[in-house]
Amino acid sequence: MSATVDSDETLMSLVAAGDETAFRALTERHLGRILRLAQKMLGSAVEADDVAQEALLRLWMNAARWQPERSKLTTWLYAIVYRLCVDRLRMRRGVSLELAMEAEDPRPDALEALARERDLRQLETAMATLQPRQRAALTLFYYEELNGTDAAAVLGMSLRAFWSLLHRARQTVQQHMHASNTPSGTAAQS
Amino acid sequence: MTLDFFIRLLDTFGADFRRWPEDQRAAAQALRDASSVAREKWEAAQRLDALFSLDRARQPDAVRVAAITNAALRRIRNQPEQGFDWRWLLSRPLGAAMATTVLAGLAAGFLLGPDLQPLQERGVPAVVLLLGYGAPGGEGLF
């Protein structure tokens, strides 16, 4: 099997027949995006890993049920990950997302890298202030580059509602970033 | 295009006009080039987009990917062999109820129905017996 060039459909039919090599090939192809969505939604690398593992398990168990004519594999996977994340967020209701944020390893100590890290951290903080659905909307549209129709399908909403959600999400992030970069906001952060 | 509408679209789709609705792109670009406020807003949106791209470029390292995949495979291998999974019936309650009713009806018919042996002995075909005899007044046919 030439796993690197096989289509998702071919690999999924092999996975449905119990082929672990095909499973690894699919994992290599899609795990990055699964992790990205999970981590953006949960704000925790450890929990994102758990969700990714669970999503892979579901991919294996439900491979035969996936219908390529109804949805792309990525859309199907995002929907699984999104639901798993929502379930986790429901379980930890009452726990501040800020507390769940984890410190990431520091990058090389060049000034530029530090500034970039600071910006990314600000972005993470801004994302953490969003509602889970807003975080998912931003991630699917700007990070995963899904079109509006597919992203709306993952979140189970109309396209119109999705645009509105995306607008509110981006506006909130922008306002948060702006506030962080003003002198009083910067002082509050440090 | 008004400035307010431009800002609204900018706050939804970002600075990359390729993401914008096709019928709005030309007007938006024209406004950005003509209005200093529109341009300022567009540049701010571009800075946020750049940050999204930077964040997006951070890929999980190979060790992490391998660890997750191996853990998932371990769970898959350790799963007990599944027999018939009845849980799918819960997602189709109407179908399950109808199927149960049909099966219960058949069972009741076989257990409580009249003895067809005498009619079979008279040479009445089995299909006629099945379709006609059980119906109200079916006995009169013979």
Side-chain angles (χ1 to χ4, degrees):
Chain A
M1 181 190 63
S2 53
T4 48
V5 291
D6 280 338
S7 67
D8 282 348
E9 285 180 43
T10 311
L11 290 174
M12 280 297 273
S13 57
L14 289 168
V15 169
D19 187 328
E20 287 189 10
T21 313
F23 179 75
R24 281 188 184 278
L26 271 178
T27 301
E28 206 172 293
R29 192 178 290 176
H30 296 295
L31 190 53
R33 59 190 90 214
I34 290 175
L35 276 172
R36 204 155 40 210
L37 177 60
Q39 194 155 339
K40 280 281 167 285
M41 283 201 68
L42 299 168
S44 154
V46 175
E47 283 197 273
D49 287 5
D50 287 348
V51 162
Q53 206 188 104
E54 185 64 35
L56 292 181
L57 195 64
R58 291 191 185 195
L59 179 143
W60 176 275
M61 287 165 61
N62 298 303
R65 291 189 199 161
W66 173 61
Q67 294 170 302
E69 67 281 358
R70 285 189 65 184
S71 68
K72 284 189 282 191
L73 182 64
T74 46
T75 313
W76 188 68
L77 274 174
Y78 285 135
I80 291 174
V81 174
Y82 175 69
R83 282 197 297 269
L84 286 170
C85 289
V86 168
D87 287 348
R88 279 200 171 233
L89 289 168
R90 277 195 193 122
M91 280 195 293
R92 69 149 104 127
R93 192 177 285 164
V95 179
S96 161
L97 283 179
E98 303 269 355
L99 287 174
M101 296 290 286
E102 292 171 358
E104 295 206 348
D105 296 335
R107 295 251 165 156
D109 55 356
L111 278 178
E112 197 182 319
L114 281 175
R116 201 168 52 211
E117 275 304 313
R118 187 205 59 205
D119 288 347
L120 286 171
R121 203 166 288 276
Q122 276 182 357
L123 179 63
E124 268 177 22
T125 311
M127 293 280 271
T129 64
L130 299 176
Q131 309 233 324
R133 274 194 154 195
Q134 292 178 328
R135 267 202 302 278
L138 272 186
T139 308
L140 292 173
F141 191 74
Y142 287 109
Y143 288 71
E144 305 310 325
E145 299 187 329
L146 255 65
N147 61 39
T149 312
D150 285 347
V154 170
L155 301 183
M157 57 172 58
S158 70
L159 183 59
R160 196 184 165 85
F162 175 75
W163 290 140
S164 172
L165 182 72
L166 184 66
H167 177 253
R168 284 198 304 277
R170 187 176 167 113
Q171 236 183 359
T172 308
V173 168
Q174 222 156 9
Q175 281 162 4
H176 198 282
M177 299 289 288
H178 182 72
S180 304
N181 286 323
T182 55
S184 57
T186 314
Q189 283 230 323
S190 58
Chain B
M1 177 178 282
T2 64
L3 184 62
D4 279 349
F5 188 50
F6 176 85
I7 292 170
R8 186 171 176 83
L9 292 178
L10 195 62
D11 283 348
T12 304
F13 302 109
D16 186 348
F17 288 126
R18 284 172 302 183
R19 293 199 193 104
W20 287 43
E22 224 171 318
D23 56 344
Q24 303 293 340
R25 290 177 198 166
Q29 275 172 335
L31 184 66
R32 179 200 59 187
D33 296 342
S35 157
S36 60
V37 180
R39 182 160 187 86
E40 200 178 296
K41 293 280 181 192
W42 180 79
E43 282 171 356
Q46 222 181 12
R47 281 195 290 277
L48 183 56
D49 282 359
L51 213 48
F52 284 145
S53 302
L54 200 61
D55 198 12
R56 183 176 186 266
R58 295 198 289 190
Q59 292 291 332
D61 61 85
V63 176
R64 186 179 173 194
V65 168
I68 293 169
T69 309
N70 290 333
L73 275 171
R74 268 197 305 277
R75 283 178 66 184
I76 287 164
R77 288 177 196 137
N78 289 336
Q79 278 196 321
E81 280 290 316
Q82 284 193 333
F84 185 76
D85 188 358
W86 293 98
R87 282 175 302 175
W88 68 273
L89 285 172
L90 295 175
S91 62
R92 295 165 178 82
L94 195 62
M98 285 180 69
T100 308
T101 308
V102 169
L103 286 175
L106 281 173
F110 278 113
L111 290 173
L112 306 172
D115 186 9
L116 302 179
Q117 196 62 31
L119 291 172
Q120 279 179 329
E121 282 166 6
R122 281 161 51 189
V124 179
V127 175
V128 175
L129 286 176
L130 200 65
L131 297 176
Y133 190 76
E139 301 90 332
L141 289 171
F142 308 104

